[in-house]
Amino acid sequence: MTLTTVANPQIYLAADLGSSASKFFYRVHPGQTVPLWMGAEVADGLSAVSVPSLNASGRPQDSAWLQLDDEIVLVGDAAKAFLETNSLMAKKSQMAAYKIAAALGAIATAEELPYNYDATVWLALPLTEIRTRNEVAEQLQLLCQSGFKFRDTPQRIKLSLKFFPEGFGLYLRHKQQLESVGQSIAQRCMMVLMMGHRNLSALYFEGGSLRVASSSSNGPGFWPVFEKTADSLGVTTADYGALMNALMTGRNQQISQSRGSLYDFGELAEAVRQTYWQSVQVHLQDHVFKQLGNAAMDITVSGGASHVLRPRLEDYFYDLNLTERVTFADDRQSQLTAIANQLPESAIIPTLPLRMVDGYGLFQGLIGKLCKVTA
């Protein structure tokens, strides 16, 4: 009698743990490309007594919690009630393990997987945080090996984990686009500008490799500028959402919570936009400008905050006669837009595809490598 070993189900996951949201793409079944959006908040060190009303209804990512022995960890929207503010200044890597574990638990729940499964995870970290990858890997491996509960359901995961610098997904997409027209990225240089809420990353690739010495991840983030400028203009925290909506959508008429009425946030939005642009322009001049003269270099601009400065960035590159070599990541993204529109969040976040494009490129690279291995 021959015993047949049944392989564990396999999750393929690409993760971009942003400071304002965690973006994921995953595959369990052949041909799948499923987007997953989770809040960035994490509340750890809680007890079951202090968290009396855990709700297991609705989408698992909307009510996500982990149980580690006697400790409860809330992730995403579930954590908001236990945090005074979403800590946009905290390093992504500090809570990365919990966020990945919660995402895997949410996927296993949605896909109705058994307790034991395998997971291959590609995780993007900011350039300045790549050095913490060993501690992130150690913590996540410990969680997976010892097991944890996600919404009261045990999870035991055999994990394969690989790290990449933030923005690497955009590099992989550009590489694919060049190969489709018979060109090699090894013959080109590439600058990826990632304009995020917490920082601005400038990743420089040459000869097919990331040049760390010519790259940086410490440029001005949009959120610190937004917060400081809004405070100096007398905007209350109650109106931060309205001001942010005005900046992201271009619709200046928003409901003001502090005024209890409709209000024109146009002047306030323009003040934030101008202050942010001044910071970005100084950083570009000091850290990026010297590489722009390379005629073999292509430039990709991405990150949720790039939407705020799109006209100014277009003018900046036009004045340098670089328009033909600059690509904005939200252009020609119909496939990604269709996938991102599966998420209900797309109805209220107009920049959703732009904010997910790096993770999508990373996911395509993961799946592309999988196809080569199995071919």
Side-chain angles (χ1 to χ4, degrees):
M1 180 177 179
T2 302
L3 296 177
T4 302
T5 302
V6 178
N8 286 339
Q10 175 81 49
I11 296 174
Y12 297 96
L13 177 67
D16 176 11
L17 306 183
S19 54
S20 55
S22 297
K23 290 85 70 177
F24 305 95
F25 289 90
Y26 75 84
R27 173 173 294 182
V28 173
H29 307 292
Q32 266 190 324
T33 299
V34 183
L36 187 67
W37 179 277
M38 294 182 70
E41 299 82 3
V42 174
D44 62 342
L46 303 173
S47 67
V49 176
S50 65
V51 189
S53 57
L54 295 175
N55 182 5
S57 63
R59 298 188 308 174
Q61 63 265 39
D62 294 335
S63 184
W65 74 87
L66 312 174
Q67 186 173 346
L68 319 172
D69 295 325
D70 296 327
E71 179 186 0
I72 299 293
V73 179
L74 305 181
V75 180
D77 290 348
K80 286 183 178 178
F82 293 86
L83 299 173
E84 292 183 7
T85 60
N86 175 16
S87 180
L88 291 178
M89 301 306 294
K91 284 187 178 297
K92 292 181 183 181
S93 59
Q94 290 176 340
M95 297 297 180
Y98 291 146
K99 293 179 181 181
I100 296 295
L104 290 172
I107 294 165
T109 302
E111 298 290 339
E112 300 181 342
L113 300 184
Y115 297 164
N116 293 282
Y117 54 90
D118 299 344
T120 298
V121 179
W122 281 17
L123 173 59
L125 286 176
L127 193 64
T128 54
E129 295 175 15
I130 284 291
R131 66 184 183 276
T132 68
R133 61 189 179 275
N134 289 338
E135 82 180 57
V136 175
E138 183 179 354
Q139 185 177 2
L140 186 55
Q141 288 284 7
L142 182 61
L143 275 174
C144 293
Q145 290 169 5
S146 60
F148 60 91
K149 288 184 178 180
F150 177 81
R151 305 210 313 179
D152 291 331
T153 302
Q155 312 285 316
R156 286 197 174 274
I157 308 165
K158 182 180 178 182
L159 179 71
S160 172
L161 180 63
K162 192 170 184 178
F163 294 92
F164 298 88
E166 197 173 30
F168 195 75
L170 291 165
Y171 166 77
L172 292 176
R173 284 179 63 78
H174 187 60
K175 178 176 181 287
Q176 184 183 51
Q177 289 165 355
L178 287 175
E179 289 174 348
S180 70
V181 294
Q183 296 185 36
S184 170
I185 200 165
Q187 300 169 351
R188 304 288 301 172
C189 301
M190 184 182 181
M191 177 68 73
V192 176
L193 296 178
M194 292 285 296
M195 302 178 67
H197 276 64
R198 185 185 47 182
N199 67 305
L200 187 159
S201 297
L203 304 175
Y204 184 65
F205 296 89
E206 184 178 0
S209 300
L210 175 66
R211 302 301 182 183
V212 176
S214 300
S215 301
S216 66
S217 192
N218 58 354
F222 176 62
W223 177 254
V225 174
F226 173 92
E227 196 172 33
K228 184 176 181 180
T229 307
D231 182 64
S232 69
L233 295 170
V235 179
T236 65
T237 55
D239 279 339
Y240 277 12
L243 178 55
M244 186 72 79
N245 286 339
L247 280 160
M248 292 298 176
T249 66
R251 295 191 290 270
N252 294 327
Q253 296 285 334
Q254 300 285 335
I255 293 176
S256 168
Q257 297 296 328
S258 65
R259 296 172 178 83
S261 63
L262 198 65
Y263 183 75
D264 190 333
F265 283 86
E267 290 187 7
L268 296 171
E270 181 57 27
V272 173
R273 192 178 290 113
Q274 183 58 29
T275 303
Y276 180 44
W277 171 236
Q278 289 172 351
S279 298
V280 168
Q281 194 172 20
V282 168
H283 187 79
L284 292 178
Q285 189 70 28
D286 291 345
H287 299 278
V288 177
F289 187 81
K290 62 184 178 182
Q291 287 140 344
L292 297 181
N294 187 340
M297 188 172 75
D298 303 317
I299 304 160
T300 295
V301 182
S302 188
S306 66
H307 180 75
V308 176
L309 296 181
R310 175 72 181 258
R312 284 171 170 80
L313 289 165
E314 289 177 335
D315 290 344
Y316 175 80
F317 290 117
Y318 176 82
D319 290 342
L320 295 174
N321 199 28
L322 294 174
T323 300
E324 295 300 318
R325 291 197 270 130
V326 175
T327 300
F328 287 85
D330 53 341
D331 290 344
R332 299 186 297 278
Q333 294 289 353
S334 58
Q335 184 180 31
L336 171 57
T337 299
I339 293 169
N341 283 345
Q342 298 174 27
L343 295 168
E345 288 87 354
S346 64
I348 56 175
I349 306 175
T351 59
L352 194 72
L354 176 60
R355 294 170 69 177
M356 300 189 79
V357 67
D358 189 30
Y360 184 57
L362 200 62
F363 176 77
Q364 288 183 310
L366 169 58
I367 297 303
K369 184 173 182 179
L370 168 68
C371 292
K372 288 181 180 178
V373 170
T374 57

